[in-house]
């Protein structure tokens, strides 16, 4: 696709396309690896379907921003010749819509993953399901505001016709501050929750740190969400130069969205690399680590066995590669914090040569 005549002194179009499509490519690779890793061990689930949907939604947003640039987005409107500015604004709004939706769905996918992986207490499940509802509601309302801000004159959003009947642009900007702050707080909350759960398991320190680091990668998305939220102020003045006002805002919106998709998918692909290492290190020295389980032991002849010589204890033989499969593929979805008084102890034999 050729771009429109781009003879403006200021032209941010090509740079935003490089950023957006660079992240799009990385996200596609990571999600494909995620799906392969989960399908390989028979644990492809609802969270993976949601993440694939989030990626597809974000890709549509990338296409919309590309079309916006094609029509002149990124150049000062006063320097454009023979350009239909309404098309620029329309595709800019569509890009924002799909970008916002992709980030929200990606966060919902991660919460579903966390619920299946770590949560046993009903109170924690309720809190996380409420968080899912709020994530959908808060982001959906922002999208609705974008398209109903000119009641009865929808085309006025990108056309001057009926513009006087539109809401003040500050409405969109103020709600954008709230939406961005909520998303950043969600990323921080999920990282903190994952850290709290794993830190209270009886695992070796280096294993804890590794697992916490993987599940806490959403902090990077939080930083992008904060920067995007600061840029939300431009929505209140976007009419002044509609083809350049939201360039930085859009860039950080897509950085945030793709970081959500990438960072929350990385924990699921760890099993691919750990399983490859475990095949080479299956004869290394092992140590015993204690962990706690609730409910029945779902035994498999390949990864665990019961040892009758230890009363009341289940023995699970696993390398850290298999531990990764167990934890991150939710083969041990009944891990619980050691504070539970009605849990019973088992021993995980973990290969110390594998890094967390």
């Amino acid at each position: 696709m050729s771009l429109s005549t781009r003879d403006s002194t200021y032209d941010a179009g090509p740079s935003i396309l490089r950023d957006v499509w660079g992240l799009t490519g990385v996200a596609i690779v990571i999600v494909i690896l995620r799906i392969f890793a989960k399908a390989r061990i028979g644990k492809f689930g609802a969270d993976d379907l949601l993440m694939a949907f989030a990626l597809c939604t974000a890709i549509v947003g990338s296409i919309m921003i590309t079309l916006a640039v094609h029509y002149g987005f990124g150049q000062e409107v006063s320097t454009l010749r023979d350009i239909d500015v309404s098309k620029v604004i329309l595709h800019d709004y569509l890009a924002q819509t799909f970008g916002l939706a992709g980030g929200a769905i990606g966060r919902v996918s991660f919460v579903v993953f966390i619920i299946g992986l770590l949560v046993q207490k009903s109170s924690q499940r309720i809190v996380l399901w409420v968080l899912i509802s709020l994530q959908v509601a808060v982001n959906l309302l922002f999208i609705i505001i974008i398209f109903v801000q000119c009641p009865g004159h929808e085309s006025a959003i990108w056309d001057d016709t009926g513009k006087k009947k539109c809401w003040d642009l500050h409405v969109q900007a103020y709600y954008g501050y709230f939406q961005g702050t909520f998303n950043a707080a969600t990323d921080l909350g999920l990282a903190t929750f994952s850290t709290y759960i794993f830190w209270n398991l009886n695992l070796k320190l280096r294993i804890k740190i590794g697992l916490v680091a993987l599940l806490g990668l959403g902090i990077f998305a939080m930083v992008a969400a904060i920067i995007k939220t600061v840029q939300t102020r431009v929505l209140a003045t976007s009419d002044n130069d509609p083809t350049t006002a939201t360039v930085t805002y859009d860039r950080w919106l897509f950085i945030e969205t793709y970081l959500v998709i990438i960072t929350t998918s990385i924990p699921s692909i760890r099993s691919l690399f750990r399983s490859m290492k475990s095949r080479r290190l299956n004869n290394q020295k092992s140590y015993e680590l204690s962990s706690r389980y609730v409910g029945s032991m779902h035994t498999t002849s390949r990864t665990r066995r019961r040892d009758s010589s230890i009363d009341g204890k289940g023995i699970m033989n696993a390398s850290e590669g298999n531990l990764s499969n167990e934890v991150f593929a939710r083969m041990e979805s009944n891990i619980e914090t050691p504070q539970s008084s009605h849990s019973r102890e088992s021993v995980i034999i973990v290969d110390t040569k594998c890094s967390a």
Side-chain angles (χ1 to χ4, degrees):
M1 176 185 293
S2 61
L3 300 180
S4 60
T5 305
R6 312 193 73 80
D7 55 1
S8 173
T9 303
Y10 174 80
D11 186 1
S15 66
I16 191 173
L17 289 185
R18 284 194 299 268
D19 294 342
V20 169
W21 283 105
L23 285 168
T24 303
V26 174
I28 290 173
V29 171
I30 294 295
V31 172
I32 289 175
L33 288 175
R34 172 197 179 117
I35 293 172
F36 175 75
K38 299 293 283 295
R40 179 173 173 269
I41 56 178
K43 292 295 177 180
F44 185 84
D47 57 309
D48 305 299
L49 287 173
L50 284 169
M51 190 59 73
F53 183 40
L55 176 64
C56 291
T57 303
I59 290 174
V60 174
S62 298
I63 294 172
M64 291 299 105
I65 200 71
T66 302
L67 290 172
V69 171
H70 168 70
Y71 289 118
F73 184 65
Q75 298 183 87
E76 295 175 349
V77 67
S78 59
T79 65
L80 296 175
R81 301 193 308 270
D82 302 323
I83 293 297
D84 188 348
V85 176
S86 64
K87 290 184 178 179
V88 177
I89 299 173
L90 171 61
H91 287 90
D92 180 24
Y93 274 127
L94 290 174
Q96 292 176 20
T97 297
F98 286 101
L100 291 167
I105 298 168
R107 287 186 175 91
V108 169
S109 170
F110 187 56
V111 177
V112 172
F113 174 74
I114 290 294
I115 290 174
L117 173 68
L118 297 174
V119 178
Q120 289 298 312
K121 296 181 179 179
S122 59
S123 58
Q124 293 176 341
R125 286 180 175 273
I126 291 172
V127 169
L128 290 177
W129 280 112
V130 169
L131 180 60
I132 287 177
S133 300
L134 290 175
Q135 182 67 211
V136 172
V138 169
N139 287 278
L140 179 60
L141 183 55
F142 194 19
I143 293 172
I144 292 173
I145 288 174
I146 291 176
F147 291 101
V148 301
Q149 59 183 303
C150 298
H153 298 79
E154 291 77 10
S155 62
I157 299 171
W158 52 85
D159 197 322
D160 286 337
T161 305
K163 200 71 174 179
K164 293 182 179 179
K165 296 185 179 181
C166 295
W167 297 346
D168 191 313
L169 286 174
H170 284 87
V171 174
Q172 184 181 354
Y174 290 152
Y175 188 81
Y177 284 126
F178 167 71
Q179 179 264 353
T181 302
F182 176 77
N183 283 343
T186 298
D187 293 330
L188 177 61
L190 291 174
T192 302
F193 177 79
S194 301
T195 300
Y196 168 77
I197 293 294
F198 269 120
W199 209 255
N200 284 279
L201 292 177
N202 292 326
L203 298 172
K204 289 179 73 71
L205 179 60
R206 65 187 183 86
I207 297 177
K208 286 183 181 181
I209 293 174
L211 299 179
V212 166
L214 283 175
L215 290 174
L217 288 174
I219 290 295
F220 293 103
M222 181 199 73
V223 173
I226 292 173
I227 297 174
K228 186 261 296 182
T229 302
V230 172
Q231 294 297 324
T232 302
R233 66 181 184 276
V234 303
L235 298 180
T237 58
S238 58
D239 275 355
N240 296 339
D241 198 343
T243 56
T244 62
T246 59
V247 169
T248 303
Y249 173 83
D250 287 359
R251 175 181 283 109
W252 282 102
L253 187 156
F254 278 95
I255 291 174
E256 173 194 348
T257 294
Y258 281 118
L259 282 179
V260 168
I261 294 172
I262 293 168
T263 58
T264 58
S265 293
I266 287 177
S268 295
I269 68 174
R270 182 176 182 267
S271 62
L272 287 177
F273 303 101
R274 306 318 303 167
S275 61
M276 287 188 291
K277 280 191 175 184
S278 66
R279 287 195 294 268
R280 298 194 302 266
L281 300 171
N282 57 358
N283 292 321
Q284 300 295 331
K285 184 178 178 182
S286 299
Y287 291 93
E288 288 187 339
L289 301 171
S290 66
S291 179
R292 295 186 178 272
Y293 288 81
V294 176
S296 61
M297 295 289 293
H298 302 284
T299 60
T300 66
S301 59
R302 183 174 63 88
T303 60
R304 70 194 73 176
R305 67 174 179 266
R306 294 297 302 268
D307 189 337
S308 59
S309 64
I310 302 179
D311 294 334
K313 294 184 179 180
I315 301 298
M316 181 169 68
N317 294 331
S319 69
E320 285 185 21
N322 288 332
L323 178 62
S324 173
N325 290 341
E326 295 291 315
V327 175
F328 288 103
R330 290 168 297 171
M331 293 175 73
E332 286 298 336
S333 60
N334 57 345
I335 292 179
E336 189 175 54
T337 56
Q339 286 83 353
S340 174
S341 60
H342 53 277
S343 63
R344 58 194 174 113
E345 186 177 272
S346 63
V347 177
I348 303 175
I349 301 180
V350 179
D351 188 340
T352 60
K353 291 294 184 179
C354 298
S355 59

